[in-house]
């Protein structure tokens, strides 16, 4: 185990904690922006530190394709490659293969998919996912899981949950850097409380450095979503971080934190910025809207970020309707907004 | 006149000077990056100040179309709109209309062109160009000139030069903010020494705050280019800034400065960055090249810019082959390189 997790305060089920990782001491609850390919699109690392970003998520699948995990390893690891001094987390790569690629197929061995390079069938096993992540060198690495959409029902949910439990042992066995990298297990089981319960217990038995609640934010209704989070956080140990995967709407983060979760990741704040949308206390502000053209106010008059201190809605409107620079300013503001949560 | 120009040192014809403008005290020779629409694509103003950028060029044509000069005026001028505290220069808008638009036609009244908004014929007169630039509020504004390619010969060159001289008087008469904005005249006359001579004398008689050498960098051979610059700088007064328009290759800037020119502008360093090319002492470095993928050196080991201090060629290669962020880092480096000249 290469982390320390100290709960500093509690309010009902919510908690504020300090998460000490090999590269950074983070304060939770925290949001992790997604930097798919070694960069948060449009922002420099100086700006990310200025915003208060503590952990960046890198996508194993994208990094393994380019520049390749072997090259990252040779160049001294992802921290050095992207010149990011703070913490990093990598996903297993499995979800990208299932969601991005055609002909992906899951068997007991692993995830079989068509190589985007030469079209040949390739297999990502739990062992390989961990080996790649060991080379990349993030502070937190994720187990390969069998992800099933929450909108699916039937025996496939059960199969995926049990397979995830079988794969965690292969991941643990394959993990070669447990003193420098923390392997998190992922709870699956769809919306079924019994399956979720079996999975949580199974993972907690393995005494992992941290636990993720997976398979959510995939189209299920909010009540089901929160019910699963509440069930899992209640069953997870108090002294380990709890990460709800793929969650990025500010309201969801507030609710999940109230339920005792600590970590979140999502492309939402940066992707929505690229479409010209800013996060504000009232919800969202669409900067492409014509009314913005003559609006001299900042995006959010109550925000202290560099963009809100320096630029008007009218200026950003002028940029987002044409130039990439507009979405950079919005990404900056949106991530600042998320870090304040 | 709203500027002060003090020559601090001389070496043969070259000079180093201090140019005091309403918004900034600049050191010449200087290079002005082109920020077409109120932004240098991909860089924040903080970064531009860090790089040492003293004057930004805004394109009157683009700004007049969007957000419109009326709106910029209402919002307090371009400095305030784009939150740039240092100096600004706007071109006349004429060149863009001739170069970007079909059916542009030059008559004694002005430049007639097809409106990109509704396709109707529109006329930009010298009076209108100045009125628009008065609204935008840059430190330096440019007279509307009749630009002819240097590769053309015959009576059209003569007509354009005399028209430019006739239009300068209409520009001077139309200029409503001579105590806050400096109107620069533009020397035309193609590659013909007699016509260039008539134009320089005519403009110098008007005692303008500064002079530009126009119509160059348009495909003529280097000898002709340098000969025209040498002739014009020799005939221009010692106590006024001299601006060679559209010049941005480092070698050209060095030669023109040796010939006594002070100011330059070009899209080259930022445009070439967007194509993945970095300026280095040896010439250029193409970051998209495969050999860069495993090159752990900085772009230019002798460069002190943030990008060369923080990132490897391998990292930037990984970004430029896919992500806009790569060209942002290159733009930063390239403009830093230009500012060092």
């Amino acid at each position: 185990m290469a982390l320390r997790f100290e709960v500093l305060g509690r309010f009902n089920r919510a908690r504020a904690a300090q998460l000490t990782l090999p590269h950074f001491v983070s304060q939770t609850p925290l949001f992790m922006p997604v930097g798919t390919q070694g960069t948060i699109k449009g922002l420099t690392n100086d700006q990310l530190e200025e915003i208060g970003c503590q952990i960046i998520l890198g996508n194993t699948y994208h990094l393994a394709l380019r520049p390749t995990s072997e090259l990252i390893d040779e160049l001294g690891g992802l921290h050095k490659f992207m010149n990011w001094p703070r913490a990093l987390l990598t996903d297993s790569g499995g979800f990208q293969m299932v969601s991005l690629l055609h002909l992906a197929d899951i068997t007991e061995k692993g995830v079989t998919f068509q190589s985007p390079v030469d079209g040949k069938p390739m297999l990502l096993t739990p062992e390989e996912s961990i080996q790649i992540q060991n080379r990349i060198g993030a502070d937190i690495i994720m187990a390969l899981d069998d992800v099933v959409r929450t909108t699916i029902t039937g025996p496939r949910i059960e199969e995926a949950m049990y397979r995830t439990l079988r794969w965690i042992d292969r991941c643990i066995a394959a993990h070669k850097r447990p003193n420098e990298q923390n392997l998190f297990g992922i709870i699956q089981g769809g919306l079924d409380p019994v399956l979720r319960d079996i999975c949580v217990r199974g993972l907690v038995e393995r005494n992992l450095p941290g636990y993720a609640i997976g398979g959510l934010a995939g189209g299920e209704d909010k009540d089901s979503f929160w019910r699963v989070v509440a069930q899992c956080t209640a069953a997870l140990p108090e002294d380990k971080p709890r990460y709800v995967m793929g969650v990025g709407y500010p309201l969801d983060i507030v609710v999940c934190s109230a339920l005792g979760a600590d970590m979140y990741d999502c492309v939402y704040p940066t992707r929505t910025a690229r479409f010209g949308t800013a996060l504000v206390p009232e919800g969202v502000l669409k900067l492409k809207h014509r009314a913005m053209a003559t609006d001299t106010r900042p995006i959010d008059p109550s925000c202290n970020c560099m963009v809100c201190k320096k630029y008007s809605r009218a200026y950003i409107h002028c940029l987002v309707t044409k130039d990439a620079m507009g979405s950079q300013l919005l990404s900056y503001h949106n991530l600042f907004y998320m870090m304040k949560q």
Side-chain angles (χ1 to χ4, degrees), chain A residues 15-34:
Chain A
R15 71 245 193 110
Q18 182 167 291
L19 171 61
T20 305
L21 293 166
H23 288 84
F24 198 67
V25 180
S26 309
Q27 308 301 318
T28 68
L30 65 80
F31 176 79
M32 304 180 287
V34 181

Side-chain angles (χ1 to χ4, degrees), chain A residues 34-38 57-70 72 78 89-102 104 111-120 122-124 128-129 132-133 136 142 144:
Chain A
V34 181
T36 302
Q37 196 105 41
L57 189 150
N59 287 123
T60 292
Y61 167 74
H62 292 92
L63 292 166
L65 270 184
R66 217 168 47 89
T68 73
S69 62
E70 288 84 355
I72 292 175
L78 184 56
L89 179 152
T90 45
D91 60 13
S92 69
F95 179 73
Q96 254 78 30
M97 294 182 190
V98 174
S99 63
L100 295 179
L101 303 171
H102 303 293
V111 181
T112 305
F113 61 98
Q114 200 179 20
S115 160
V117 176
D118 58 12
K120 285 184 189 150
M122 288 180 66
L123 174 69
L124 181 79
E128 269 170 344
S129 169
I132 295 170
Q133 293 185 79
I136 295 173
M142 301 304 296
L144 188 70

Side-chain angles (χ1 to χ4, degrees), chain A residues 266-329:
Chain A
C266 194
V267 295
Y268 174 66
T270 46
R271 180 175 287 168
T272 208
R274 290 199 294 278
F275 295 142
T277 301
L279 306 177
V280 291
E282 298 75 29
V284 296
L285 190 72
K286 293 189 183 298
L287 272 301
K288 286 190 180 175
H289 196 285
R290 276 183 71 165
M292 297 295 137
T294 55
D295 194 330
T296 56
R297 288 174 293 176
I299 293 174
D300 170 7
S302 72
C303 176
N304 287 315
C305 88
M306 174 275 282
V307 175
C308 289
K309 282 191 285 187
K310 294 205 170 179
Y311 300 100
S312 64
R313 294 175 181 185
Y315 179 68
I316 298 166
H317 169 84
C318 182
L319 298 189
V320 286
T321 45
K322 194 154 174 195
D323 204 291
M325 186 66 201
S327 52
Q328 284 171 46
L329 295 178

Side-chain angles (χ1 to χ4, degrees), chain A residues 45-65:
Chain A
N45 293 349
D46 287 346
Q47 290 179 318
L48 288 166
E49 290 195 46
E50 195 178 295
I51 285 167
C53 173
Q54 307 182 84
I55 309 181
I56 291 176
L57 189 150
N59 287 123
T60 292
Y61 167 74
H62 292 92
L63 292 166
L65 270 184

Side-chain angles (χ1 to χ4, degrees), chain A residues 27 37 41 46 52 73 86 90 96 104-105 107-108 126 132 148-149 155 196-197 199 206 219 252 265 286 300 316:
Chain A
Q27 308 301 318
Q37 196 105 41
K41 286 194 183 89
D46 287 346
D73 192 15
R86 299 189 175 182
T90 45
Q96 254 78 30
D105 190 29
T107 62
E108 194 58 26
I132 295 170
V148 178
R149 280 198 223 145
R196 285 279 177 182
D197 185 54
C199 200
R206 267 85 174 177
D252 290 350
D265 82 281
K286 293 189 183 298
D300 170 7
I316 298 166

Side-chain angles (χ1 to χ4, degrees), chain A residues 148-221:
Chain A
V148 178
R149 280 198 223 145
T150 46
T151 48
I152 280 179
T153 52
R156 176 72 185 96
I157 304 283
E158 195 173 343
E159 178 195 51
M161 187 279 287
Y162 280 113
R163 182 167 290 143
T164 296
L165 270 186
R166 288 192 297 272
W167 281 359
I168 188 69
D169 290 320
R170 292 170 57 187
C171 289
I172 294 167
H175 184 21
K176 296 284 178 270
R177 302 176 64 185
N179 297 321
E180 299 145 312
Q181 297 185 280
N182 299 287
L183 174 64
F184 278 31
I186 304 173
I187 305 159
Q188 291 294 346
L191 302 180
D192 185 327
V194 177
L195 296 179
R196 285 279 177 182
D197 185 54
I198 296 168
C199 200
V200 178
R201 287 163 186 268
L203 290 174
V204 171
E205 266 172 31
R206 267 85 174 177
N207 189 29
L208 294 160
Y211 300 95
I213 304 168
L216 293 176
E220 71 281 353
D221 63 285

